Amino acid sequence: MDSILTLLGAGLLQSFEPLNLAMIFLGCLAGLFIGAMPGLGSVNGVAILLPVTFLVPPTSAIIFLAALYYGAMYGGAVSSITLGIPGASTAVATVFDGRPMAQSGRADQALMAAAIASFIGGTISVILFTGFAPPLALFALKFGPQEEFALMLVAFATFIGLGGDDIPKTIFSILIGLVLAAVGFDIISGQPRLIFFGMVEFQRGIEFLVLAIGIYGIGEMLWTLEHTKGAIQMHKVEFGLKRIVKNLGQVKKYLPTTLLGSVLGFFVGTLPAAGATPAALMSYGLAKSFSKDGDSFGKGNVSGVAAPEAANNAASTGSMLPMLTLGIPGSPTTAILLGGMIIWGLRPGPLLFAESPDFVWGLIGSMYVANFVTVILNIALIPIFIRVLAMPFSILAPIIFVLCVVGVFATTDRMFDTWLMLLLGCMGYLMRKLNYPVAPAVLAIVLGPLTERSLRQSLISSQGDAMTFLERPISLVCILIAVALVLFPVISNILRKRKATLKAAE
Amino acid sequence: MNIWKTLTMTAAALAVSAPAAMAEWQPRKPVEFIIMAGTGGGADQIARLLQGLIQSKGLSPRPFIPINKPGGSGAEALSYMKDKEGDNHTLLVALNSFYTTPIIQEELEIDVLSFAPIGRMAMDTFLLWVNTDQEDITDLDSYVAAVKAADSTWKVGGTGSGQEDSILTAMMEKELGYEVTYIPFPGGGTVAKNLVGNQIDSTVNNPSEQMEFWRAENTKPLVQFNGERTEPFMDVPTAKELGVDIEYYMQRSISGPAGMDPEAVAWYQNLFEELFNSEEWQAYCESDGLTCEKWITGDELAAFHEAQLKRHEELIEAVGAESIMSK
């Protein structure tokens, strides 16, 4: 432990060097804007800015890119909350409650909660990273296909409770998501399947961001347009010191979910298969399941913003772990960081911690500093962000529409996906109109492919014996948790109804 | 006044048009660098190394952006290339599924020989790896004994049915007379991780995918499938030395879509030749067990692809297409 502290001290000192500090600041700022622009996620940001980093030493370079990565994680929340368009796929879950909060004039609160939860998530995960990187890397190795599948079941189970009381509608929504997720090539045999109308464009599957921007960006826009008739959403834009202090006082309210989301996010991030998007969705689901007023989720509960934001920042730190110790990037962005490392002559793998301690600890030290810088930048910029909402919605709606179209086209470079996004947007609007929850469909399309792959891998390796999930301790525990999560809302519902009837009888 | 205006206009027009007329073709927007396999695998590492070299040496005015399209054993990437016919800003980092996937999945109607041949960067080595925890397995004989004892429940990890490693696995089943359970993963890096975590029993990874785990003594190679022993695996016997008639390589080449402009093809060929001859690339080849002796491009590369396509047709016929596809 002593040696870890010394190493960390050296790392922190390194990140306070003027060049590195400047790199952190620039990275966070650039990331914030890249993350906030729909269609320009951290992947593009890191890829475009990679060459810039060849001008500075490797440690400063990775510090810059890592700071950019965090900055983008924070920034994703901004467009999710103010415009209802997920700025990056990791920020989809932030829309669920962030958007309703903004519509009811509490955008500053939501942005504040996102910033603070991100800060807590980021910091907790760096602490976990500092203290337990090697044992956690070993634990991640214990995660075979069976464990991955069981973990996915937990995620689905948390979402059964998401649709409120209407469990059949939730299940229907999950199934729609699963069908859309299955479009494209079969992941095991490589055969094309579910190619609608024989259109070859479907072979590549439905990109997650296309669905997310469609359902949330376009669907929300139509919905809001119908309800506000183009009026201004937020009349008074005030954001003084008083308001900041008042918002800080709210932290109590969402602290437990933030802590839960941080630990969960970090852990899911360390698994090479997952990444920040599933982590954020799972954290949201769990927060809802455990909340006392679960029904207010999706209608503007501040915990619903804090939970996914804590998780996606924690996961972004977590995904550094498999990248550094196993050479497997946990997310597309870390894959590009990995490319940078290879150029700088650093070979990620089990020996990296021992062979390049300066690099590893410099990076870890910078994560602490980067978290501080981003939270301060974020809070300072909130007044600018919420000014967006002071515009009448009749002006905002076309801007959102353009951003959605540009965002999708910039990501996939295909007109087909743009049309598909518009179509899915109309579908999202209809689902809302008919009171179907859309969040479970979004979850299913993210987790569907991961779940299918791990299920089929497990069954192939066990020669088709489904007992394999119950024979392995980690997967057994996960499955028990999943069952409990499904039964919990059902039972509490029955109990509540019984109480109500008893009361009525009295 | 009027003359002055005309003069400046002309000068400005010349300044704009002159370099455009003189300069050769070069990318005008970021180049999509499509990888037909998942993150962390051999092709992925190569693509990311090349991308970085291009940027650090300032060889391209626009960046190369690596994009993984691992779906359907490379079918996703190949279909994407087919869609991009005539595009000058898309390149494919190809491996042997460049041949196998179009053979096995005829319905995709992909003709890889129509793709623009840019250059062959290397021939990669295949080795058979097991976890060092398996102390009883020290050579091919003890390996075969262990697989036979497991009675077809021996788990071999790979990157997908129809991928080159599944063909090699099928060739081994045929030559060595055993059966295994083949489990597909989304990339060579994930396969390596699952071998280290003992989720699978063995795999035929390329060196770059196992290098760091081998150095950390988590895994060990038993056999290599090259014709001759290759650095840094000089103490690992080849299959042929052990009397097993398997010799199999992985090609690492770059292709453009069909119908790419000849000027663009020439520009990319020059770019990758320069990379091939760079100190960094040659050093990578040596440390990671790749053979990078001869640069092959243009017609010669097209002929190589044609011969390889034919060889893979024969191989697939010999082992039977159904033996490499999952039940």
Side-chain angles (χ1 to χ4, degrees):
Chain A
M1 195 62 202
D2 198 37
S3 67
I4 286 184
L5 287 178
T6 344
L7 286 164
L8 178 65
L12 278 171
L13 273 183
Q14 232 183 326
S15 47
F16 279 114
E17 281 168 23
L19 173 68
N20 292 345
L21 210 54
M23 283 289 140
I24 292 175
F25 186 78
L26 282 178
C28 290
L29 197 63
L32 200 58
F33 282 97
I34 286 171
M37 286 300 293
L40 197 65
S42 59
V43 185
N44 310 54
V46 173
I48 292 166
L49 292 171
L50 187 62
V52 178
T53 63
F54 294 125
L55 306 171
V56 294
T59 309
S60 310
I62 191 118
I63 285 175
F64 173 73
L65 293 178
L68 191 134
Y69 185 27
Y70 300 134
M73 284 289 164
Y74 279 72
V78 175
S79 63
S80 293
I81 292 169
T82 54
L83 299 174
I85 315 171
S89 58
T90 49
V92 169
T94 313
V95 184
F96 299 167
D97 278 277
R99 183 68 183 147
M101 279 182 80
Q103 280 168 333
S104 58
R106 292 186 293 147
D108 57 329
Q109 246 178 49
L111 286 166
M112 189 82 170
I116 290 182
S118 296
F119 173 71
I120 296 176
T123 306
I124 288 184
S125 59
V126 188
I127 293 172
L128 288 173
F129 195 110
T130 314
F132 309 103
L136 276 169
L138 279 181
F139 187 70
L141 283 177
K142 288 229 174 15
F143 254 72
Q146 286 89 341
E147 285 76 18
E148 270 169 34
F149 177 71
L151 188 70
M152 295 299 146
L153 279 190
V154 174
F156 279 110
T158 60
F159 264 59
I160 299 280
L162 264 189
D165 293 337
D166 208 336
I167 291 176
K169 276 188 174 171
T170 306
I171 293 176
F172 177 79
S173 176
I174 287 184
L175 291 178
I176 285 214
L178 285 177
V179 168
L180 292 178
V183 171
F185 290 108
D186 180 300
I187 45 183
I188 301 287
S189 72
Q191 304 294 319
R193 64 180 180 192
L194 272 180
I195 308 299
F196 298 125
F197 314 111
M199 293 169 86
V200 279
E201 284 87 352
F202 278 113
Q203 281 185 356
R204 279 169 57 198
I206 296 172
E207 200 119 357
F208 168 64
L209 210 60
V210 174
L211 181 98
I213 292 185
I215 287 190
Y216 281 100
I218 298 291
E220 269 295 319
M221 183 198 76
L222 294 174
W223 178 257
T224 315
L225 214 49
E226 184 189 28
H227 284 257
T228 62
K229 307 265 188 308
I232 295 173
Q233 293 166 280
M234 197 174 178
H235 289 278
K236 268 188 284 174
V237 180
E238 47 172 320
F239 195 72
L241 210 57
K242 232 182 182 173
R243 191 88 186 184
I244 295 186
V245 174
K246 194 179 149 232
N247 286 342
L248 275 177
Q250 277 209 326
V251 172
K252 268 203 316 279
K253 228 161 123 190
Y254 52 80
L255 195 64
T257 45
T258 307
L259 296 178
L260 181 71
S262 309
V263 176
L264 176 86
F266 176 74
F267 178 69
V268 174
T270 58
L271 302 175
T277 310
L281 285 163
M282 283 173 76
S283 166
Y284 182 86
L286 275 185
K288 183 174 174 168
S289 308
F290 287 126
S291 167
K292 278 191 212 95
D293 52 348
D295 291 347
S296 69
F297 271 71
K299 296 181 190 111
N301 188 320
V302 72
S303 298
V305 174
E309 279 303 306
N312 70 24
N313 267 62
S316 65
T317 308
S319 66
M320 296 270 176
L321 189 75
M323 177 187 91
L324 295 173
T325 60
L326 301 172
I328 307 170
S331 70
T333 314
T334 43
I336 295 172
L337 294 180
L338 193 67
M341 289 178 64
I342 296 176
I343 308 295
W344 302 316
L346 294 159
R347 294 301 288 274
L351 301 177
L352 184 75
F353 274 67
E355 289 177 354
S356 318
D358 283 359
F359 172 81
V360 174
W361 290 99
L363 174 64
I364 295 176
S366 82
M367 294 183 192
Y368 285 94
V369 184
N371 269 310
F372 266 103
V373 173
T374 16
V375 77
I376 291 165
L377 272 179
N378 245 286
I379 294 178
L381 290 173
I382 288 178
I384 298 178
F385 294 141
I386 51 177
R387 213 152 283 270
V388 170
L389 292 169
M391 275 191 266
F393 200 72
S394 51
I395 293 179
L396 211 49
I399 296 178
I400 293 178
F401 182 79
V402 170
L403 280 176
C404 289
V405 171
V406 171
V408 166
F409 190 77
T411 314
T412 70
D413 199 16
R414 292 199 310 172
M415 254 338 263
F416 175 80
D417 285 330
T418 313
W419 291 116
L420 189 64
M421 181 271 293
L422 293 175
L423 190 75
L424 290 169
C426 297
M427 190 188 90
Y429 170 71
L430 286 179
M431 277 174 81
R432 278 202 65 168
K433 210 122 180 126
L434 299 171
N435 262 329
Y436 281 89
V438 280
V442 173
L443 172 95
I445 202 165
V446 175
L447 299 186
L450 297 174
T451 315
E452 184 194 350
R453 172 175 288 128
S454 55
L455 173 64
R456 291 174 68 177
Q457 281 168 345
S458 308
L459 290 178
I460 293 174
S461 75
S462 72
Q463 316 289 328
D465 181 5
M467 288 305 285
T468 177
F469 297 109
L470 303 179
E471 282 159 3
R472 301 169 57 119
I474 301 176
S475 110
L476 176 66
V477 170
C478 288
I479 285 179
L480 289 179
I481 294 175
V483 171
L485 282 173
V486 174
L487 293 182
F488 176 69
V490 176
I491 292 171
S492 71
N493 231 348
I494 293 172
L495 286 181
R496 212 182 310 155
K497 271 185 191 145
R498 181 168 296 169
K499 239 184 223 162
T501 43
L502 278 180
K503 263 212 185 111
E506 274 168 18
Chain B
M1 194 64 194
N2 234 344
I3 292 173
W4 183 236
K5 213 178 196 174
T6 321
L7 269 179
T8 26
M9 290 296 277
T10 324
L14 273 176
V16 172
S17 64
M22 283 185 324
E24 56 172 1
W25 185 92
Q26 47 177 336
R28 279 174 290 109
K29 57 177 191 176
V31 178
E32 285 187 15
F33 212 26
I34 306 295
I35 304 155
M36 56 191 302
T39 47
D44 185 59
Q45 292 189 22
I46 287 173
R48 291 176 197 285
L49 175 66
L50 290 173
Q51 171 223 11
L53 287 178
I54 290 168
Q55 296 189 338
S56 64
K57 289 171 176 286
L59 296 178
S60 167
R62 293 285 180 272
F64 278 53
I65 301 195
I67 301 172
N68 296 81
K69 295 199 179 291
S73 297
E76 184 189 357
L78 290 169
S79 306
Y80 185 76
M81 292 302 284
K82 192 180 159 196
D83 284 355
K84 286 273 173 174
E85 189 173 334
D87 188 274
N88 288 337
H89 294 88
T90 308
L91 292 178
L92 178 74
V93 184
L95 39 142
N96 286 7
S97 48
F98 186 69
Y99 312 121
T100 55
T101 300
I103 296 172
I104 295 169
Q105 298 187 46
E106 282 173 35
E107 68 279 9
L108 296 174
E109 293 175 2
I110 287 162
D111 176 16
V112 290
L113 297 179
S114 70
F115 288 7
I118 306 291
R120 191 182 83 188
M121 299 304 293
M123 293 298 271
D124 207 343
T125 310
F126 279 104
L127 294 107
L128 174 66
W129 300 86
V130 292
N131 194 305
T132 34
D133 291 349
Q134 288 175 330
E135 285 164 11
D136 298 344
I137 300 177
T138 50
D139 55 11
L140 187 62
D141 288 339
S142 48
Y143 172 78
V144 173
V147 178
K148 283 186 174 160
D151 190 25
S152 84
T153 62
W154 186 267
K155 298 191 281 275
V156 177
T159 56
S161 310
Q163 294 274 47
E164 50 294 320
D165 61 53
S166 73
I167 293 181
L168 186 51
T169 303
M171 281 156 79
M172 288 172 70
E173 284 181 316
K174 198 169 160 236
E175 285 290 322
L176 298 166
Y178 58 64
E179 264 185 44
V180 297
T181 300
Y182 180 84
I183 306 170
F185 289 90
T190 322
V191 175
K193 175 226 151 194
N194 278 284
L195 183 68
V196 176
N198 275 320
Q199 308 295 343
I200 51 175
D201 300 316
S202 69
T203 173
V204 281
N205 264 141
N206 298 117
S208 58
E209 294 156 350
Q210 287 285 352
M211 190 60 77
E212 292 302 302
F213 299 112
W214 176 54
R215 291 208 305 129
E217 293 179 7
N218 291 325
T219 60
K220 56 186 177 189
L222 299 175
V223 192
Q224 57 181 312
F225 298 97
N226 274 8
E228 283 164 24
R229 294 189 184 194
T230 317
E231 288 284 1
F233 302 104
M234 294 312 277
D235 52 354
V236 181
T238 68
K240 288 214 161 151
E241 284 173 38
L242 299 173
V244 180
D245 187 24
I246 301 177
E247 186 178 337
Y248 193 67
Y249 299 88
M250 176 83 104
Q251 62 112 359
R252 304 282 184 197
S253 69
I254 314 289
S255 295
M260 186 183 250
D261 287 339
E263 299 83 32
V265 173
W267 191 86
Y268 288 122
Q269 285 174 343
N270 278 332
L271 172 78
F272 283 98
E273 185 168 6
E274 198 172 337
L275 287 170
F276 180 84
N277 290 320
S278 70
E279 217 174 285
E280 291 91 340
W281 178 253
Q282 290 295 331
Y284 177 79
C285 291
E286 197 167 314
S287 70
D288 280 63
L290 287 96
T291 312
C292 306
E293 277 158 14
K294 192 162 172 258
W295 167 250
I296 292 182
T297 182
D299 292 343
E300 203 180 341
L301 180 57
F304 171 79
H305 284 326
E306 200 173 347
Q308 284 289 318
L309 198 61
K310 196 150 176 274
R311 165 138 200 258
H312 279 91
E313 268 167 17
E314 289 162 10
L315 279 177
I316 290 171
E317 201 174 329
V319 296
E322 65 285 347
S323 72
I324 48 177
M325 301 303 289
S326 289
K327 310 127 208 180

